[in-house]
Amino acid sequence: MISLASAFTLYTLREMANNRLFYITLIFAGAGLALASFLAEVAVTEHEAVQTALLAAAYRFCAVFVLMVFVVSTVVREFNDKCMELYLSMPITRTLYFVGKSAGFVVCGAIIAAIFSTVMLIYASFADVALWGITFALELAIVAVFAFFAALTFHQHVTPALFITFFFYVLARSADTILRISESDIVDITLGNMFIKFMLNCMYYILPSLEKFTRTDWLLYGAEYPALGLVAVQALAYCTLIGAMGLFDLRRKNL
Amino acid sequence: MRFAWPRLRFRFIVAEEYQPLRVVPLWLWMLIAFSASFQASYKYRNPPEAATAGSLPEPPTAAVLDAAAFGDHPALAKGLTLWLQAFDNQQGISIPFRELDYTQVAAWLGAILDLDPRAEYPLFNASRIYTFVRNEPDRVRVMLDFIREKFREDPANRWEWMSHAVTMAKHDLKDEALAREFARELRVLSEGHPEVPGWATQMEIFLLEDSNEYDDAARLLLNLVESGEITDPREFLLLYERLEQLLTKMIEAGEVTSRQQFDRMEQALDKLRSSYLKSRAELEEQSR
């Protein structure tokens, strides 16, 4: 069974190669490096810190965008080309297919994180970049699994799947800010405001705190390895939650 | 199923998927050329508005910046720093600092520092860039007040900028009183922070000596010796000799007008010397 799941994982990696994702990542890495170097020339001090901060932010955004588009387009294409029906007509359970594909997408995210982390070694020490890179891979794992879930839910529509994934990522990155906003004093205690506060609190508890992942502070001011444990637990728990929801949806689909 | 690695070829566009260029009609070539040249000429004839110095907006609130950072506060802080720094030097024009609203500049620098408290760039800009405006003491004071306010929030890590503010107040603003005020604050708030070097905490003594304020300088030096902050013999000797030179200078300038005043000043030197020797002896006793 493991070999069947790993076959889907390897085919997902092959899909990554066929989509030129590796080359796109390298192009982004080079372009980002050039742009950050150019912008840092404007800085009169802290050149490396400016480059590091801007580059890290740009790489994170690019990686999330590229992976999100790759996952959604792959799944939608499999639906449209009837590949999924072909796979499921074989003696392969839906769970096996889902786990194999999810693992493949997570490995793709890890490869992208590794490429960008290698570039960041120019600006930070190995220990700092290692923590940043590991949490980056975990962040991309969450995005990949969510994108897979979104693509399964909107299986013939790329746009809503991409939109919901992007919206999820933006909200997850702002989860702590959302909580701070909901805890701020509301001048008028009205039913509407209380409902909004309740919804903001619900959003905070549902969303992963991606602010704690891939922190630029670690590259600028040194890694804080005690944070890795909580981040890893958050990533595992959230991937399990979203994975279970995706599997729930897949098992109920009429295919 | 047997997995085979794909042959990786660097081909984004596969030539055989396209027909030759000659199948494209002439009107389509003309349309592309016309549209592209129209777009370029439109942008050329409608350049962006030249920014004026008065258009530096108020910084957003901390909550807005917090939300806009999407969890990456240092990156937003660095980006905003570059934007603010480049604000006075935009395309085609250079806005003199004297035309910038320094209150807004200080507000922006404060907002950026709140985003990334460990950054030094905003304080560098405040102390080394925005203070280089000639014959505008009020603007320099705005920056110095900003540095003082931020130093109070984190004396251990921002003492360097406060010491620069002392120097700016003394030499650029020629305001001895303000320089002594900054130096006193630097000394007082640095207590308990061993990372602040001795020369920074002793700036006040030098300023007092430069102002011929012998009594205050001697009293301050005595306090530092008795509190154990000055233990290095060379450091003590430097400060002690300066005090002796000040006494000599005051005598030569006729500022010592009575025997009592002279005796008091000599006693202060003796007390200083004996306090230092006592603290050195205690230190050596402890180290044994």
Side-chain angles (χ1 to χ4, degrees), chain A residues 4 7 10-11 13-14 17-18 20 23-24 27 39-40 42-46 49-50 53-54 56-57 60 92 170 173-174 177 180-181 211 216-217 220-221 224, chain B residues 1-12 14 63 66-67 69-76 78-79 82 85-86 116-122 124-125 129:
Chain A
L4 283 173
L10 291 171
Y11 271 116
L13 294 178
R14 186 182 183 133
N18 288 341
R20 316 289 193 260
Y23 295 122
I24 290 171
I27 289 171
L39 285 174
V42 179
V44 295
T45 188
E46 292 191 338
V50 169
L54 296 179
R60 196 178 54 249
I92 299 167
V170 165
R173 270 259 136 200
S174 316
T177 305
R180 281 193 285 273
I181 291 170
E211 275 184 17
T216 307
D217 307 58
L220 295 178
Y221 308 119
E224 295 165 8
Chain B
M1 281 184 277
R2 203 179 158 182
F3 179 80
W5 286 102
R7 279 170 44 195
L8 296 174
R9 296 177 299 173
F10 189 76
R11 293 167 70 194
F12 276 100
V14 181
D66 196 15
F70 292 118
D72 198 356
H73 294 77
L76 181 63
K78 298 285 186 269
L82 291 183
Q85 183 189 293
D116 187 9
R118 286 179 283 187
E120 301 205 346
Y121 206 151
F124 177 91
N125 280 358
I129 305 287

Coordinates of all heavy atoms in Angstrom, one line a residue, chain A residues 4 7 10-11 13-14 17-18 20 23-24 27 39-40 42-46 49-50 53-54 56-57 60 92 170 173-174 177 180-181 211 216-217 220-221 224, chain B residues 1-12 14 63 66-67 69-76 78-79 82 85-86 116-122 124-125 129:
Chain A
L4 N 2.1 1.9 -3.4 CA 1.0 2.6 -4.3 C 0.9 4.1 -4.0 O 0.9 4.9 -4.9 CB -0.3 1.9 -4.1 CG -0.5 0.5 -4.7 CD1 -1.8 -0.1 -4.3 CD2 -0.4 0.6 -6.2
A7 N 3.8 5.8 -5.3 CA 3.8 6.0 -6.8 C 3.1 7.3 -7.1 O 3.5 8.0 -8.0 CB 3.0 4.8 -7.4
L10 N 5.4 10.1 -6.4 CA 6.4 10.3 -7.5 C 5.8 10.8 -8.8 O 6.5 11.6 -9.5 CB 7.1 8.9 -7.7 CG 8.0 8.4 -6.6 CD1 8.4 7.0 -6.8 CD2 9.2 9.3 -6.4
Y11 N 4.6 10.4 -9.1 CA 4.0 11.0 -10.3 C 3.7 12.5 -10.1 O 3.7 13.2 -11.1 CB 2.7 10.2 -10.6 CG 3.0 9.1 -11.5 CD1 2.7 7.8 -11.1 CD2 3.5 9.2 -12.8 CE1 3.0 6.7 -11.9 CE2 3.7 8.2 -13.6 CZ 3.5 6.9 -13.2 OH 3.7 5.8 -14.0
L13 N 5.6 14.4 -8.4 CA 6.9 15.1 -8.7 C 7.2 15.2 -10.2 O 7.8 16.1 -10.7 CB 8.0 14.3 -7.9 CG 8.0 14.3 -6.4 CD1 9.1 13.5 -5.8 CD2 8.0 15.7 -5.9
R14 N 6.8 14.1 -10.9 CA 7.0 14.1 -12.3 C 6.2 15.3 -12.9 O 6.6 15.9 -13.9 CB 6.6 12.8 -12.9 CG 6.9 12.7 -14.3 CD 6.4 11.4 -14.9 NE 6.8 11.4 -16.3 CZ 7.4 10.4 -16.9 NH1 7.7 9.3 -16.2 NH2 7.7 10.4 -18.2
A17 N 8.0 18.4 -12.6 CA 9.0 18.6 -13.6 C 8.4 18.9 -14.9 O 8.9 19.8 -15.7 CB 9.8 17.3 -13.7
N18 N 7.3 18.3 -15.3 CA 6.6 18.5 -16.6 C 6.1 20.0 -16.7 O 6.1 20.6 -17.8 CB 5.5 17.6 -16.8 CG 6.0 16.2 -17.1 OD1 7.2 16.0 -17.5 ND2 5.2 15.2 -17.0
R20 N 7.5 22.5 -15.5 CA 8.7 23.4 -15.5 C 8.7 24.1 -14.1 O 9.3 25.2 -14.1 CB 8.7 24.4 -16.6 CG 8.3 23.9 -18.0 CD 9.4 23.0 -18.5 NE 9.2 22.8 -19.9 CZ 8.7 21.7 -20.5 NH1 8.3 20.7 -19.7 NH2 8.6 21.5 -21.8
Y23 N 12.2 25.0 -12.9 CA 12.8 26.2 -13.6 C 12.2 27.5 -13.2 O 12.9 28.5 -13.1 CB 12.7 26.0 -15.1 CG 13.5 24.8 -15.6 CD1 12.8 23.8 -16.3 CD2 14.8 24.6 -15.4 CE1 13.5 22.7 -16.8 CE2 15.5 23.5 -15.9 CZ 14.8 22.6 -16.6 OH 15.5 21.5 -17.0
I24 N 10.9 27.5 -13.0 CA 10.2 28.7 -12.6 C 10.7 29.1 -11.3 O 11.0 30.3 -11.0 CB 8.7 28.5 -12.6 CG1 8.2 28.4 -14.0 CG2 8.0 29.6 -11.9 CD1 6.7 28.0 -14.1
I27 N 14.1 30.7 -11.7 CA 14.0 32.0 -12.3 C 13.5 33.0 -11.2 O 14.1 34.1 -11.1 CB 13.0 32.0 -13.5 CG1 13.7 31.3 -14.6 CG2 12.6 33.4 -13.9 CD1 12.8 31.0 -15.8
L39 N 17.4 47.1 -4.8 CA 16.7 47.9 -3.8 C 17.6 48.2 -2.6 O 17.6 49.3 -2.0 CB 15.4 47.2 -3.2 CG 14.2 47.2 -4.2 CD1 13.1 46.3 -3.6 CD2 13.7 48.6 -4.5
A40 N 18.5 47.2 -2.2 CA 19.4 47.5 -1.1 C 20.4 48.5 -1.4 O 21.0 49.1 -0.5 CB 20.0 46.2 -0.7
V42 N 19.8 51.3 -2.5 CA 19.2 52.6 -2.1 C 19.5 52.8 -0.6 O 19.5 54.0 -0.2 CB 17.7 52.6 -2.4 CG1 17.0 53.8 -1.9 CG2 17.4 52.3 -3.9
A43 N 19.6 51.7 0.1 CA 19.8 51.8 1.6 C 21.2 52.4 1.9 O 22.2 52.0 1.3 CB 19.6 50.5 2.2
V44 N 21.2 53.3 2.9 CA 22.5 53.9 3.2 C 23.1 53.1 4.4 O 24.3 53.3 4.7 CB 22.3 55.4 3.7 CG1 21.9 56.2 2.5 CG2 21.4 55.5 4.8
T45 N 22.4 52.2 5.0 CA 22.9 51.4 6.0 C 22.1 50.1 6.1 O 21.1 50.0 5.4 CB 22.9 52.1 7.4 OG1 23.6 51.3 8.4 CG2 21.5 52.3 7.9
E46 N 22.6 49.1 6.8 CA 21.9 47.8 6.9 C 21.6 47.3 5.5 O 20.5 46.8 5.3 CB 20.6 48.0 7.7 CG 20.8 48.3 9.2 CD 19.5 48.2 10.0 OE1 18.4 48.3 9.5 OE2 19.6 48.0 11.2
A49 N 20.6 43.6 5.8 CA 19.4 43.4 6.5 C 18.2 43.7 5.6 O 17.2 43.0 5.5 CB 19.3 44.2 7.8
V50 N 18.3 44.8 4.8 CA 17.3 45.2 3.9 C 17.1 44.1 2.8 O 16.0 43.7 2.5 CB 17.6 46.6 3.3 CG1 16.7 46.9 2.1 CG2 17.5 47.7 4.3
A53 N 15.5 41.0 4.4 CA 14.0 41.1 4.7 C 13.2 41.1 3.5 O 12.2 40.4 3.4 CB 13.8 42.4 5.5
L54 N 13.6 41.9 2.5 CA 12.8 42.0 1.3 C 12.8 40.7 0.5 O 11.7 40.3 0.0 CB 13.3 43.2 0.4 CG 13.2 44.6 1.0 CD1 13.7 45.6 0.1 CD2 11.7 44.9 1.3
A56 N 13.3 37.6 1.6 CA 12.5 36.6 2.3 C 11.0 36.8 2.1 O 10.3 35.8 1.8 CB 12.8 36.7 3.8
A57 N 10.6 38.0 2.2 CA 9.1 38.3 2.0 C 8.7 37.9 0.5 O 7.7 37.3 0.3 CB 8.8 39.7 2.2
R60 N 8.7 34.1 -0.1 CA 7.6 33.4 0.6 C 6.3 33.6 -0.3 O 5.6 32.7 -0.5 CB 7.4 34.0 2.0 CG 6.5 33.1 2.8 CD 6.3 33.6 4.3 NE 5.8 34.9 4.3 CZ 6.6 36.0 4.7 NH1 7.8 35.8 5.1 NH2 6.1 37.2 4.6
I92 N -7.4 0.9 -6.2 CA -6.8 1.9 -5.4 C -7.9 2.6 -4.6 O -8.8 3.1 -5.2 CB -6.0 2.9 -6.2 CG1 -4.9 2.2 -7.0 CG2 -5.4 4.0 -5.3 CD1 -4.3 3.0 -8.1
V170 N -3.9 34.6 3.1 CA -3.9 36.0 3.6 C -4.5 36.1 5.0 O -3.9 36.7 5.9 CB -4.6 36.9 2.6 CG1 -4.9 38.3 3.3 CG2 -3.9 37.1 1.4
R173 N -2.2 34.3 7.6 CA -1.0 35.2 7.9 C -1.4 36.3 8.8 O -0.5 36.8 9.5 CB -0.5 35.8 6.6 CG 0.6 35.0 5.9 CD 2.0 35.5 6.2 NE 2.9 34.5 6.5 CZ 4.0 34.6 7.1 NH1 4.4 35.8 7.6 NH2 4.8 33.6 7.4
S174 N -2.6 36.7 8.8 CA -3.1 37.8 9.7 C -3.9 37.3 10.9 O -4.6 38.1 11.5 CB -4.0 38.7 8.9 OG -3.4 39.0 7.6
T177 N -3.3 39.2 14.1 CA -3.8 40.5 13.9 C -5.3 40.5 14.1 O -5.9 41.4 14.7 CB -3.4 41.1 12.5 OG1 -2.0 41.0 12.4 CG2 -3.8 42.6 12.4
R180 N -6.1 40.5 17.6 CA -5.9 41.8 18.3 C -7.0 42.7 18.0 O -7.5 43.5 18.8 CB -4.6 42.3 17.9 CG -3.4 41.7 18.6 CD -2.1 42.5 18.4 NE -1.6 42.3 17.0 CZ -0.7 41.4 16.7 NH1 -0.4 40.5 17.7 NH2 -0.2 41.2 15.5
I181 N -7.5 42.7 16.7 CA -8.6 43.6 16.3 C -9.9 43.2 17.1 O -10.6 44.1 17.6 CB -8.8 43.5 14.8 CG1 -7.7 44.1 14.0 CG2 -10.1 44.2 14.4 CD1 -7.7 43.8 12.5
E211 N 1.8 33.5 11.0 CA 2.7 34.5 11.4 C 3.9 33.9 12.2 O 5.0 34.5 12.2 CB 2.0 35.5 12.4 CG 1.2 36.6 11.7 CD 0.7 37.6 12.7 OE1 1.1 37.7 13.8 OE2 -0.2 38.3 12.3
T216 N 11.0 36.4 9.4 CA 12.2 37.1 8.9 C 13.1 37.5 10.1 O 14.3 37.6 9.9 CB 11.8 38.4 8.2 OG1 10.8 38.0 7.2 CG2 12.9 39.0 7.5
D217 N 12.5 37.6 11.3 CA 13.4 38.0 12.5 C 14.5 36.9 12.6 O 15.6 37.3 13.1 CB 12.5 37.9 13.7 CG 11.3 38.7 13.7 OD1 10.5 38.5 12.7 OD2 11.1 39.6 14.5
L220 N 17.3 37.8 10.5 CA 18.0 39.1 10.8 C 18.6 39.1 12.2 O 19.7 39.6 12.4 CB 16.9 40.2 10.8 CG 16.3 40.6 9.5 CD1 15.2 41.6 9.6 CD2 17.3 41.0 8.5
Y221 N 18.0 38.5 13.2 CA 18.4 38.6 14.6 C 18.7 37.2 15.2 O 19.0 37.2 16.4 CB 17.3 39.3 15.4 CG 16.9 40.6 14.8 CD1 15.6 40.8 14.4 CD2 17.8 41.6 14.6 CE1 15.2 42.0 13.9 CE2 17.4 42.8 14.0 CZ 16.1 43.0 13.7 OH 15.7 44.2 13.1
E224 N 15.4 31.2 16.7 CA 14.8 30.8 18.0 C 14.3 29.4 17.8 O 13.1 29.2 17.6 CB 13.7 31.8 18.4 CG 14.2 33.2 18.6 CD 13.1 34.2 18.6 OE1 11.9 33.8 18.7 OE2 13.4 35.4 18.6
Chain B
M1 N 3.3 -0.4 -11.2 CA 3.7 0.7 -12.1 C 5.1 1.0 -11.9 O 5.6 1.1 -10.7 CB 2.9 1.9 -11.7 CG 1.5 1.9 -12.2 SD 0.6 3.4 -11.8 CE 0.1 3.1 -10.1
R2 N 5.8 1.2 -13.0 CA 7.2 1.5 -12.8 C 7.5 2.9 -13.2 O 7.0 3.4 -14.2 CB 8.0 0.6 -13.9 CG 9.4 0.5 -13.4 CD 10.2 -0.4 -14.4 NE 11.6 -0.1 -14.2 CZ 12.6 -0.6 -14.9 NH1 12.2 -1.5 -15.9 NH2 13.8 -0.4 -14.8
F3 N 8.1 3.6 -12.3 CA 8.3 5.0 -12.4 C 9.6 5.3 -13.2 O 10.6 4.7 -13.0 CB 8.4 5.7 -11.0 CG 8.6 7.2 -11.1 CD1 7.6 8.1 -11.4 CD2 9.9 7.7 -11.0 CE1 7.8 9.4 -11.5 CE2 10.1 9.1 -11.0 CZ 9.1 9.9 -11.3
A4 N 9.5 6.2 -14.2 CA 10.7 6.6 -14.9 C 10.8 8.1 -14.8 O 9.9 8.9 -15.0 CB 10.5 6.2 -16.4
W5 N 12.0 8.6 -14.4 CA 12.2 10.0 -14.3 C 12.1 10.7 -15.7 O 12.6 10.1 -16.7 CB 13.6 10.3 -13.8 CG 13.7 10.1 -12.3 CD1 14.3 9.0 -11.7 CD2 13.2 10.9 -11.3 NE1 14.1 9.1 -10.3 CE2 13.5 10.3 -10.1 CE3 12.5 12.2 -11.3 CZ2 13.1 10.8 -8.8 CZ3 12.2 12.7 -10.0 CH2 12.5 12.0 -8.9
P6 N 11.4 11.8 -15.8 CA 11.3 12.4 -17.1 C 12.7 13.0 -17.6 O 13.5 13.4 -16.7 CB 10.3 13.5 -16.9 CG 10.4 13.9 -15.5 CD 10.8 12.6 -14.8
R7 N 12.9 13.1 -18.9 CA 14.1 13.8 -19.3 C 13.8 15.3 -19.2 O 12.9 15.8 -19.9 CB 14.4 13.4 -20.8 CG 15.1 12.1 -20.9 CD 15.1 11.5 -22.3 NE 15.5 12.6 -23.3 CZ 15.3 12.5 -24.6 NH1 14.8 11.4 -25.1 NH2 15.6 13.4 -25.4
L8 N 14.6 16.0 -18.5 CA 14.4 17.4 -18.2 C 15.0 18.2 -19.4 O 16.3 18.1 -19.5 CB 15.0 17.9 -16.9 CG 14.3 17.2 -15.7 CD1 15.0 17.6 -14.4 CD2 12.8 17.6 -15.5
R9 N 14.2 18.9 -20.1 CA 14.8 19.7 -21.2 C 14.3 21.1 -21.0 O 13.2 21.4 -20.6 CB 14.3 19.2 -22.6 CG 14.7 17.8 -22.9 CD 14.2 17.4 -24.3 NE 12.7 17.3 -24.2 CZ 12.0 17.1 -25.3 NH1 12.5 16.9 -26.5 NH2 10.7 17.0 -25.2
F10 N 15.2 22.0 -21.2 CA 14.9 23.4 -21.0 C 14.2 24.0 -22.2 O 14.8 24.6 -23.0 CB 16.1 24.2 -20.6 CG 15.8 25.6 -20.2 CD1 15.3 25.9 -18.9 CD2 16.0 26.7 -21.0 CE1 15.0 27.1 -18.4 CE2 15.7 28.0 -20.6 CZ 15.2 28.2 -19.3
R11 N 12.9 23.7 -22.3 CA 12.1 24.2 -23.5 C 10.8 24.7 -22.9 O 9.9 23.9 -22.5 CB 11.8 23.1 -24.5 CG 13.1 22.6 -25.2 CD 12.8 21.3 -25.9 NE 12.0 21.5 -27.1 CZ 11.4 20.6 -27.7 NH1 11.5 19.3 -27.3 NH2 10.7 20.8 -28.8
F12 N 10.6 26.0 -22.9 CA 9.3 26.5 -22.4 C 8.3 26.5 -23.6 O 7.1 26.3 -23.4 CB 9.5 27.9 -21.9 CG 9.9 27.9 -20.5 CD1 11.2 28.1 -20.1 CD2 9.0 27.7 -19.5 CE1 11.6 28.1 -18.8 CE2 9.3 27.7 -18.1 CZ 10.6 27.9 -17.8
V14 N 7.6 25.1 -27.3 CA 8.0 24.0 -28.3 C 7.7 24.5 -29.6 O 6.5 24.8 -30.0 CB 7.2 22.7 -27.9 CG1 7.6 21.6 -28.9 CG2 7.5 22.3 -26.5
A63 N -2.3 49.6 14.1 CA -3.2 48.5 13.7 C -3.2 48.3 12.2 O -3.2 47.1 11.8 CB -4.6 48.8 14.2
D66 N 0.1 46.8 11.2 CA 0.1 45.4 11.7 C -0.6 44.5 10.8 O -0.1 43.4 10.4 CB -0.6 45.4 13.1 CG -0.3 44.1 13.9 OD1 0.7 43.4 13.5 OD2 -1.0 43.9 14.9
A67 N -1.8 45.0 10.3 CA -2.5 44.2 9.3 C -1.8 44.1 8.0 O -1.8 43.0 7.4 CB -4.0 44.7 9.2
A69 N 1.2 44.1 7.3 CA 2.5 43.4 7.4 C 2.3 41.9 7.1 O 3.2 41.2 6.7 CB 3.2 43.5 8.7
F70 N 1.1 41.4 7.2 CA 0.8 40.0 7.0 C 1.8 39.1 7.8 O 2.3 38.1 7.3 CB 0.8 39.6 5.6 CG -0.4 40.2 4.8 CD1 -0.1 41.1 3.8 CD2 -1.7 39.9 5.1 CE1 -1.2 41.6 3.1 CE2 -2.7 40.5 4.4 CZ -2.5 41.3 3.4
G71 N 2.1 39.5 9.0 CA 2.9 38.7 9.9 C 4.4 38.9 9.6 O 5.2 38.3 10.3
D72 N 4.8 39.7 8.7 CA 6.2 39.9 8.4 C 6.6 41.3 8.6 O 6.8 42.1 7.7 CB 6.5 39.5 6.9 CG 8.0 39.3 6.7 OD1 8.8 39.5 7.7 OD2 8.4 38.9 5.6
H73 N 6.7 41.7 9.9 CA 6.9 43.1 10.3 C 8.2 43.6 9.8 O 8.3 44.8 9.4 CB 6.7 43.3 11.8 CG 5.3 43.0 12.2 ND1 4.8 41.8 12.4 CD2 4.3 43.9 12.6 CE1 3.5 41.9 12.8 NE2 3.2 43.1 12.9
P74 N 9.4 42.8 10.0 CA 10.6 43.4 9.5 C 10.7 43.7 8.1 O 11.3 44.8 7.7 CB 11.6 42.2 9.9 CG 11.0 41.5 10.9 CD 9.5 41.5 10.6
A75 N 10.1 42.9 7.2 CA 10.1 43.2 5.8 C 9.3 44.5 5.5 O 9.8 45.3 4.7 CB 9.5 42.0 5.0
L76 N 8.2 44.7 6.1 CA 7.4 45.9 5.9 C 8.2 47.1 6.4 O 8.2 48.2 5.8 CB 6.0 45.8 6.6 CG 5.1 47.1 6.4 CD1 4.8 47.3 4.9 CD2 3.8 46.9 7.2
K78 N 11.4 47.5 6.6 CA 12.5 47.8 5.7 C 12.0 48.5 4.4 O 12.6 49.4 3.9 CB 13.3 46.5 5.3 CG 14.0 45.8 6.5 CD 15.2 46.6 7.0 CE 16.0 45.8 8.0 NZ 15.6 46.1 9.4
G79 N 10.9 47.9 3.9 CA 10.3 48.5 2.7 C 9.9 50.0 3.0 O 10.2 50.9 2.1
L82 N 12.9 52.3 3.1 CA 13.4 52.7 1.8 C 12.5 53.7 1.1 O 13.0 54.7 0.5 CB 13.6 51.5 0.9 CG 14.6 50.5 1.3 CD1 14.7 49.3 0.3 CD2 16.0 51.1 1.4
Q85 N 12.9 57.1 2.9 CA 14.3 57.7 2.6 C 14.3 58.2 1.1 O 14.9 59.3 0.9 CB 15.3 56.6 2.7 CG 16.7 57.0 2.5 CD 17.6 55.8 2.4 OE1 17.8 55.1 3.4 NE2 18.2 55.6 1.2
A86 N 13.6 57.5 0.2 CA 13.6 58.0 -1.2 C 12.5 59.1 -1.4 O 12.5 59.6 -2.5 CB 13.3 56.8 -2.1
D116 N 9.5 47.1 13.8 CA 10.7 46.3 14.0 C 11.5 47.0 15.0 O 12.4 47.8 14.7 CB 11.4 46.1 12.7 CG 12.6 45.2 12.8 OD1 12.7 44.5 13.8 OD2 13.4 45.1 11.8
P117 N 11.3 46.8 16.3 CA 12.0 47.6 17.3 C 13.5 47.3 17.3 O 14.3 48.2 17.9 CB 11.4 47.1 18.6 CG 10.1 46.5 18.2 CD 10.2 46.0 16.9
R118 N 13.9 46.2 16.8 CA 15.4 45.9 16.8 C 16.1 46.6 15.6 O 17.4 46.5 15.6 CB 15.6 44.4 16.8 CG 15.3 43.8 18.2 CD 15.5 42.3 18.2 NE 14.4 41.6 17.5 CZ 14.3 40.3 17.5 NH1 15.2 39.5 18.1 NH2 13.3 39.7 16.8
A119 N 15.4 47.2 14.7 CA 16.1 47.8 13.6 C 16.8 49.1 14.0 O 16.3 49.8 14.9 CB 15.0 48.2 12.5
E120 N 17.9 49.4 13.3 CA 18.6 50.6 13.6 C 18.5 51.6 12.5 O 19.0 52.8 12.7 CB 20.1 50.2 13.9 CG 20.3 49.2 15.0 CD 21.7 49.3 15.6 OE1 22.6 49.9 15.0 OE2 21.8 48.7 16.7
Y121 N 18.0 51.2 11.4 CA 17.9 52.1 10.3 C 17.2 53.4 10.6 O 17.6 54.5 10.2 CB 17.3 51.3 9.1 CG 17.7 51.8 7.7 CD1 17.7 50.9 6.7 CD2 18.0 53.2 7.5 CE1 18.0 51.4 5.4 CE2 18.3 53.6 6.2 CZ 18.3 52.7 5.2 OH 18.6 53.1 3.9
P122 N 16.0 53.3 11.2 CA 15.2 54.6 11.4 C 16.0 55.6 12.3 O 16.0 56.8 12.0 CB 13.9 54.1 12.1 CG 13.8 52.7 11.7 CD 15.2 52.2 11.6
F124 N 19.2 55.6 12.6 CA 20.4 56.1 11.8 C 19.9 57.3 10.9 O 20.6 58.3 10.8 CB 20.9 54.9 10.9 CG 22.0 55.3 10.0 CD1 23.3 55.2 10.4 CD2 21.7 55.8 8.7 CE1 24.3 55.6 9.5 CE2 22.7 56.2 7.9 CZ 24.0 56.1 8.3
N125 N 18.8 57.1 10.3 CA 18.2 58.2 9.4 C 18.0 59.4 10.2 O 18.3 60.5 9.8 CB 16.9 57.7 8.8 CG 17.2 56.9 7.5 OD1 18.4 56.6 7.2 ND2 16.2 56.4 6.9
I129 N 21.0 61.4 8.8 CA 20.5 61.9 7.5 C 19.6 63.2 7.7 O 20.0 64.2 7.2 CB 19.6 60.8 6.8 CG1 20.4 59.5 6.7 CG2 19.1 61.3 5.5 CD1 21.5 59.5 5.7

